[in-house]
């Protein structure tokens, strides 16, 4: 299933969200930006946890106001700092899930619990951070969800647990009719799994790019004052003054490699792009 936000706005005091995003079927879309930029507000609007002032949200071109209970059951959700009571065990949660979701696959879920070594009789409050994160994700994908909304699902986890969860998401996408929106501060996770990325700042989308192109074509030019004054700036997105001159973000690294001999160009990570897009001029 596909999900689309068309100019969704929400005013909170001096903060205004104005957001358009599309998550096509069969793709994993990353959602990045600093704290307070509007990521959680956007996700809450999608899930109907808050009202919004204007705009439209569509699930397979069906407006949010028209979504049925069955439509909403197509979402699998992992939100930061939310979940079941710590006094429940997994066995307790299974009974709740069976009553909430007609398509909850109990046998598949128990298989996941065994595969990922989750104790079924312990109370959730006794779980490690990694065990809780695995549980939340396994619950989200065990009821025929076709759209996953994941808000910081790997925060605070060690690299082994993060890789296990990313492998689980890759397996989930093999069905082909599914899509994922994932918000994360861990750029390496996004680089390894996302097809495209949206970047939000102060409630506004400031960048949308395919991950492959971001990794292959984006770079940072390290320029002296003289180089900056004479260089063709048509492919420079942002610049930041440094002690040696300027750091400039470009989405056409090859152009400068071919046309400006001797220039210092560094390949950049998602973190570099975020930093320069937000702190640069």
């Amino acid at each position: 299933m596909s999900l689309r936000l068309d100019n969704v706005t929400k005013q909170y005091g001096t903060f205004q969200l104005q957001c358009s995003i599309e998550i096509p079927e069969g793709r994993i879309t990353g959602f990045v930006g600093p704290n307070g930029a509007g990521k959680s507000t956007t996700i809450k609007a999608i899930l109907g946890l808050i009202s919004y002032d204007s705009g439209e949200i569509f699930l397979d071109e069906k407006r949010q106001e028209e979504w049925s209970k069955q439509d909403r059951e197509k979402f699998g959700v992992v939100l930061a700092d939310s979940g079941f009571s710590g006094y429940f065990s997994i066995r307790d949660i299974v009974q709740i899930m069976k009553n909430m979701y007609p398509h909850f696959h109990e046998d598949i879920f128990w298989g996941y619990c065994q595969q990922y070594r989750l104790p079924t009789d312990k109370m959730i409050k006794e779980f490690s951070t990694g065990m809780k994160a695995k549980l939340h994700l396994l619950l989200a994908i065990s009821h025929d969800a076709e759209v996953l909304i994941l808000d910081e699902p790997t925060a605070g986890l060690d690299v082994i647990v993060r890789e296990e969860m990313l492998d689980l998401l890759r397996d989930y996408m093999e069905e082909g009719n599914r899509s994922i929106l994932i918000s994360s501060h861990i750029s390496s996770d996004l680089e390894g799994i996302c097809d495209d990325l949206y970047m939000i700042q102060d409630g506004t989308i400031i960048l949308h790019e395919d991950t492959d192109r971001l990794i292959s074509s984006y770079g940072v030019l390290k320029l002296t004052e003289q180089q900056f004054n004479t260089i063709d700036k048509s492919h420079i997105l942002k610049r930041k003054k440094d002690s040696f001159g300027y750091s400039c973000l470009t989405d056409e690294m090859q152009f400068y490699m071919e046309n400006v001999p001797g220039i210092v160009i560094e390949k950049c990570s998602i973190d570099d792009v975020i930093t320069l897009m937000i702190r640069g001029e």
Side-chain angles (χ1 to χ4, degrees):
M1 300 189 82
S2 63
L3 179 67
R4 179 164 60 89
L5 284 73
D6 186 5
N7 198 30
V8 171
T9 67
K10 176 68 177 180
Q11 188 83 36
Y12 282 123
T14 59
F15 173 82
Q16 183 179 45
L17 178 75
Q18 188 166 5
C19 183
S20 295
I21 289 178
E22 184 170 5
I23 303 99
E25 184 176 290
R27 288 175 71 86
I28 301 177
T29 295
F31 196 29
V32 299
N35 292 331
K39 300 188 298 297
S40 294
T41 300
T42 302
I43 288 172
K44 289 176 182 177
I46 292 170
L47 299 175
L49 299 177
I50 61 170
S51 61
Y52 48 94
D53 302 328
S54 62
E56 298 283 356
I57 300 178
F58 298 89
L59 184 65
D60 272 358
E61 299 306 314
K62 190 174 184 179
R63 297 167 67 237
Q64 192 183 59
E65 304 91 279
E66 302 167 348
W67 293 356
S68 64
K69 180 177 180 290
Q70 289 74 27
D71 291 326
R72 295 182 184 278
E73 288 172 0
K74 294 297 183 183
F75 286 95
V77 181
V78 176
L79 297 180
D81 302 321
S82 69
F84 289 93
S85 167
Y87 291 93
F88 287 162
S89 69
I90 288 181
R91 292 190 184 278
D92 298 325
I93 293 172
V94 165
Q95 296 307 311
I96 296 170
M97 293 293 290
K98 286 163 65 176
N99 290 321
M100 289 178 62
Y101 294 100
H103 300 289
F104 178 67
H105 297 288
E106 184 178 358
D107 54 341
I108 294 175
F109 176 74
W110 285 125
Y112 279 140
C113 288
Q114 184 175 10
Q115 179 181 349
Y116 289 98
R117 304 174 298 282
L118 296 181
T120 57
D121 295 315
K122 274 188 175 183
M123 287 191 291
I124 304 304
K125 68 176 186 176
E126 299 175 39
F127 282 21
S128 67
T129 302
M131 290 162 62
K132 290 177 184 177
K134 290 179 190 177
L135 174 61
H136 293 159
L137 183 55
L138 294 177
L139 289 169
I141 67 174
S142 295
H143 59 84
D144 281 348
E146 295 182 24
V147 181
L148 289 188
I149 306 292
L150 309 177
D151 187 14
E152 300 289 347
T154 59
L157 305 182
D158 65 56
V159 65
I160 302 298
V161 176
R162 294 209 321 268
E163 193 56 40
E164 283 183 333
M165 293 181 67
L166 296 178
D167 285 342
L168 191 58
L169 293 178
R170 294 183 185 101
D171 292 342
Y172 165 86
M173 288 298 292
E174 288 183 0
E175 285 291 324
N177 61 334
R178 297 168 169 177
S179 55
I180 300 175
L181 177 65
I182 178 170
S183 164
S184 179
H185 284 100
I186 305 174
S187 62
S188 59
D189 289 352
L190 300 179
E191 288 179 6
I193 197 170
C194 290
D195 297 294
D196 63 323
L197 292 168
Y198 283 89
M199 187 182 302
I200 189 169
Q201 180 188 14
D202 296 331
T204 302
I205 300 297
I206 60 172
L207 181 70
H208 177 219
E209 188 63 88
D210 284 348
T211 310
D212 286 345
R213 185 171 187 277
L214 191 149
I215 293 170
S216 64
S217 299
Y218 280 60
V220 179
L221 313 179
K222 300 292 188 177
L223 305 174
T224 63
E225 189 91 32
Q226 182 180 1
Q227 287 174 321
F228 177 78
N229 290 334
T230 58
I231 201 169
D232 181 343
K233 299 180 181 61
S234 57
H235 300 295
I236 290 178
L237 302 178
K238 292 283 185 175
R239 69 179 188 270
K240 184 168 72 74
K241 191 76 169 70
D242 289 315
S243 57
F244 59 83
Y246 288 89
S247 292
C248 299
L249 178 67
T250 178
D251 60 349
E252 291 290 348
M253 186 168 55
Q254 192 65 32
F255 171 84
Y256 291 103
M257 291 174 68
E258 294 175 353
N259 292 283
V260 188
I263 193 173
V264 177
I265 305 177
E266 297 177 354
K267 296 195 72 171
C268 60
S269 65
I270 292 175
D271 285 340
D272 296 326
V273 175
I274 293 172
T275 299
L276 280 167
M277 286 296 298
I278 290 173
R279 296 182 59 193
E281 299 175 356

